[in-house]
Amino acid sequence: MPVTHEAAQRRWVMIIDLAKCDGCRECTRACNAMHFIPPGQEWIRVYEMQDHEAGSAYWLPRPCMQCDNPPCVKVCPVSAAWKREDGIIMQDTERCIGCRFCLAACPYGARTFNWVQPEETEEQRLRPYDIEWNIRHRKGTTEKCIFCPALVKQGKLPACADACPMGAIYFGDQVEDAVTNSQGETVRFSELIKEQAGYRLLEDLGTEPRVYYLPPRKRLYPAPPAAPEPAAAGKEHR
Amino acid sequence: MAARPREQFSDREQRLLASLTEHGPGFYALVGLLVAVIAWGIIAYAMQLRYGLGVTGLRDNFMWGIYITNFVFFIGVSHVGALMSAILRLTGAEWRRPVTRMAEAITFASLLMGALMPFIDMGRPDRLLNLLLHGRLQSPILWDMLSITTYLTGSTLFLFVPMIPDIALLRDRFADGPAWRRRLYAVLSLGWKGTEAQRHHLETIMAIMAVLIIPIAISVHTVVSWIFGMTLRAGWNSTILGPYFVFGALFSGAAAVVTAMAAFRRAYHLEEYITEAHFRRMGYLVIALGMIYAYFTFAEYLTPAYKMAAAERGYLSAVFTGQFSRLFWFTQIGGVLLPVLLLTLPRIHWMPRLREIPMLQPRPALATVATYAAAMIVLSLVAPQTAALGGVDVAQMITPWVIAALGIWLFLALLPVFHDRPIAAAVVASVLVNVAAWWKRFVIIVPTLQNPFLPIQRAPAGWGIYQPTWVEWSITAAALAGFVLIYLLFSKVFPIVSIWETREEPAHRPIGHGETVGVSVS
Amino acid sequence: MSLCHSRRLRRLVVLLAWLCIALGLSAQPARAAEPAKVTVRVATALDGTLQITAIVVDATGAAVAGTPVVLKVRTTFGWLPVAKGTTDASGRVQVTLPPSLRAGEIAAEAGEDAQVSASIRIGKGTIREPAARPGRDALRDLSPQPGFISPYPVPTQVGLLAVILGGIWATYGYVVWLLSRIRVKT
């Protein structure tokens, strides 16, 4: 079992089975609801991808990869982004100075920025600022998916994994070598990756992400429609 | 120490101190305009502070835009001080003497504006102290902070120290102006008497600073380039970004000095001190730096274009033939090729013979170009209907070719004109260089951001493309106005041409038009 | 004749009935009993391996053989199946698990449809929560550049920068000192 750190109690890891993802974006909705995310931001974004013309089109949910060689942590001038012992890259919006270097450095585009002061609901205002819940948002700071440490601490799956009606998102501890999905299915992490040839996004960049994907082979749900137009000036996008 | 009346200045000194004494209405009008632009910029920034960076055109996909363009541009222009004062001094180029202070003042003013830009770009400027309290030395932004403050200090020293003898001169003999000015001169002159020991110290300082400032200047723009170079994005993930930016900076800085030289020469009648020979030599510098810069650009774009790797295909197509192609080719043709041609071709001795070609008479040529331009504009308004009919956007297709043809024609017609006016040619060239330099920084930043690894999808309306707003343009204009204002005010308080350095050894002064050797030395 | 017939007939019917009962009784041992309860026992061997025994019994307490049993281990979010077996004649399934298994709870599910289950607590206490900010470099063993991206100052880097920048600023100080010498020399 890959225990890489002496005191590593946990190493969170996520597997997303692309054969099961049907692009319903329930994960995005659940994440946006749980964190009261301002409009326009998506911390887990479901892309419509097609690797090459002859390849299959598929849906790709992309949370923050919580990289083990994180470009964002390297460039933050005030250490507002740092890697916790359990593998999560935390974001301290009390310290962030809003330079947006981490947004520039992240190759996955997983980070978002609060360009204006987001509107807060009553419910939000009652909650204190907590770095593990990420519910209060501040103008001029960067935010991103942090694998819901507040939920995970209570033994619950992160919001996206829990909300997926297809059970496509597995989440677990690499030290325990077990990942679970919303259907209660628990499997051995190493076995699942080996059997289904799990891979990581943009592996060549060497960021060592902690989110693995299972190829969309023998997919259970229909593919997205023909490759979408890239976003152009002023055009409304799905 | 009694202040002696102005008549005590020699003609030469009076000429060189013209900038301090002449206060025409033009000056006040210009200052008024600059202050107005700066005030408007401050209002724009206040809007940004109040409502957040959302008032700009920046969004999650293009998180850096006009502000960082300004940052890179101004820090780039600031390299000319190190070039002129330090490198030319170390290589013994005596012709530099009248223009070193102009160059150093440009460095000072533009460093101030450049260093201001990242703070304007910050989302939380109220948390500025975090940079000092929790600063991480591994971040390129910290390297920026350290090297820019070091360079600013060095440049200020390098600007101030050679001014000491001139300030002493002003302290002794300049009775004009309010009391604060005389006090300023008294304090800043550090009790300079021109003694042997003092001169010795001055020369030591100049020698030390000349050697020290060069690596600092190189490091400044290298670490500025590394805010791009240290990311993984296609287009920024380049090994030669450091040297590329340094030479781009030297190129645009040298051109800025040419513009400043021409402006002060015209405004204060400094024809004897800033001669055509100076423009010729600065022209050589600009040409040489332009060639090196073009070489770096060529290497930077040809190398990935040969391979067309998937990650780089997007931004390369956008830059060569797509969304940013007009800007890119303008910066290369209009920003490098054209200035170099303007600096070299008019000097060819048979240029005036071009006037014999009837087609190339300047006035008819200009008239024809104007007519064609008007026709093109009309055509572009009418063309959408023709495109709907024929399916081929004829206007779109022929526009670049027509513009190129007209441009070449106009260029050839103006060449004989520039042959007679080499300084005008140099000014046009230098202005083109700097305008193109600003847009080139834009072209470095935005196309890469528009072509990330994962496609831009599900962006709200208007978040798919970078559209700068009035706030960003206002702040850019205010930064430029601030730069000019600082420079202008500097020229009002201190002599813009070094009096004591141009006084030494008349034999070393370059021979220009109508200048006699052996002017009376006071 | 009728009387002899009826007596023979009655004897035949009784014989048949006894035959049926005998058949019925003898068929019972061939049919498996319903598992009603499963017990899990854990024994730790000297080398740390866990020997897990699951015993399946029916309602009367008799052992049930041939029942599939799945052994599961409690993970943070669910139950991970680690072993499968079928009960032997004494209704037992024995599995040995390696010692590196950080298990807190082990459960056994018996029966075709996993009708019965039981679990047993083993293992140490709770896992330590990660510190708010890492007390030591959390990336040291992971990153290809172990020290470089640390949140904490790296001695080599700091030293190098201090030497270079310190040298430059010391030279500035020297220059300023020289300026002050100019001032003094009146």
Side-chain angles (χ1 to χ4, degrees), chain A residues 12-13 21 27 29 32 42-43 55-56 72 75 82 102 104 119 150 158 169 182 206 214 218 232 237-238:
Chain A
W12 300 120
V13 77
C21 177
C27 48
R29 271 187 276 274
N32 283 20
E42 284 179 334
W43 293 359
S56 78
C72 56
V75 296
W82 78 97
C102 54
E119 296 280 337
I169 304 183
S182 60
L214 303 179
K218 299 219 168 93
H237 208 86
R238 263 181 298 244

Side-chain angles (χ1 to χ4, degrees), chain A residues 15-24 46-47 49 56-61 164-170 181 185 192 195-199 212-224:
Chain A
I15 302 185
I16 299 182
D17 191 350
L18 297 175
K20 291 188 187 166
C21 177
D22 71 342
C24 65
V46 180
Y47 288 89
M49 300 286 279
S56 78
Y58 57 95
W59 307 93
L60 181 85
C164 179
M166 317 301 163
I169 304 183
Y170 294 81
N181 70 358
E185 218 185 297
L192 191 58
E195 270 171 35
Q196 308 226 21
Y199 66 95
Y212 291 77
Y213 290 90
L214 303 179
R217 190 171 170 271
K218 299 219 168 93
R219 48 180 317 121
L220 303 172
Y221 300 101

Side-chain angles (χ1 to χ4, degrees), chain A residues 25 28 39-42 45-49 60 62 71 73-79 92-101 103-109 111-117 138-141 201-202 205 207 228-238, chain B residues 48-56 58-65 67-68 121-125 127-128 130-132 134-142 226-228 230-233 236-237 449-450 452-465 467:
Chain A
R25 296 189 167 112
T28 309
Q41 289 182 23
E42 284 179 334
R45 173 167 285 155
V46 180
Y47 288 89
E48 300 173 26
M49 300 286 279
L60 181 85
R62 184 235 64 220
V73 170
K74 284 186 217 192
V75 296
C76 180
V78 292
S79 205
D92 186 353
T93 54
E94 294 264 78
R95 199 189 272 194
C96 175
I97 59 170
C99 69
R100 308 187 299 288
F101 206 159
L103 269 91
C106 176
Y108 303 99
R111 286 171 162 273
T112 63
F113 189 74
N114 293 315
W115 299 98
V116 293
Q117 177 58 47
R138 284 167 164 60
K139 172 178 80 165
T141 58
L201 265 191
L202 302 179
L205 296 179
T207 50
E229 292 276 306
K235 280 214 205 116
E236 180 73 54
H237 208 86
R238 263 181 298 244
Chain B
Q48 185 183 293
L49 276 181
R50 168 79 180 79
Y51 294 109
L53 277 162
V55 299
T56 66
L58 301 168
R59 295 290 179 263
D60 284 355
N61 289 310
F62 7 89
M63 72 296 299
W64 284 341
Y67 295 148
I68 300 293
D121 185 59
M122 269 168 73
R124 294 301 297 244
R127 293 183 184 168
L128 196 57
N130 282 354
L131 274 171
L132 297 169
H134 305 289
R136 271 185 77 239
L137 281 176
Q138 291 88 334
S139 169
I141 286 185
L142 256 286
W226 282 345
I227 59 172
F228 307 113
M230 294 303 181
T231 65
L232 288 161
R233 289 186 184 256
W236 289 357
N237 189 7
L449 292 177
Q450 296 254 187
F453 286 106
L454 292 178
I456 298 179
Q457 286 181 7
R458 292 180 64 78
W463 284 41
I465 210 170
Q467 290 156 319

Side-chain angles (χ1 to χ4, degrees), chain B residues 62-190:
Chain B
F62 7 89
M63 72 296 299
W64 284 341
I66 302 266
Y67 295 148
I68 300 293
T69 309
N70 289 341
F71 171 57
V72 180
F73 175 72
F74 281 115
I75 301 289
V77 165
S78 78
H79 276 53
V80 68
L83 171 67
M84 303 273 317
S85 306
I87 297 179
L88 291 182
R89 179 195 162 89
L90 288 176
T91 53
E94 295 295 332
W95 62 269
R96 75 178 194 283
R97 286 175 189 273
V99 282
T100 48
R101 191 167 301 159
M102 266 185 238
E104 280 294 342
I106 287 184
T107 298
F108 180 72
S110 106
L111 262 182
L112 285 178
M113 290 296 115
L116 194 60
M117 277 296 151
F119 298 119
I120 294 179
D121 185 59
M122 269 168 73
R124 294 301 297 244
D126 55 312
R127 293 183 184 168
L128 196 57
L129 273 180
N130 282 354
L131 274 171
L132 297 169
L133 295 173
H134 305 289
R136 271 185 77 239
L137 281 176
Q138 291 88 334
S139 169
I141 286 185
L142 256 286
W143 307 339
D144 270 344
M145 261 181 57
L146 290 170
S147 72
I148 289 174
T149 47
T150 308
Y151 189 42
L152 185 59
T153 313
S155 282
T156 312
L157 280 172
F158 215 17
L159 174 66
F160 169 59
V161 168
M163 274 205 304
I164 295 175
D166 284 348
I167 298 176
L169 179 78
L170 289 169
R171 172 202 63 196
D172 289 341
R173 305 207 217 144
F174 197 74
D176 274 6
W180 63 264
R181 207 155 158 176
R182 273 171 281 156
R183 245 200 316 270
L184 183 72
Y185 292 149
V187 166
L188 286 178
S189 60
L190 296 184

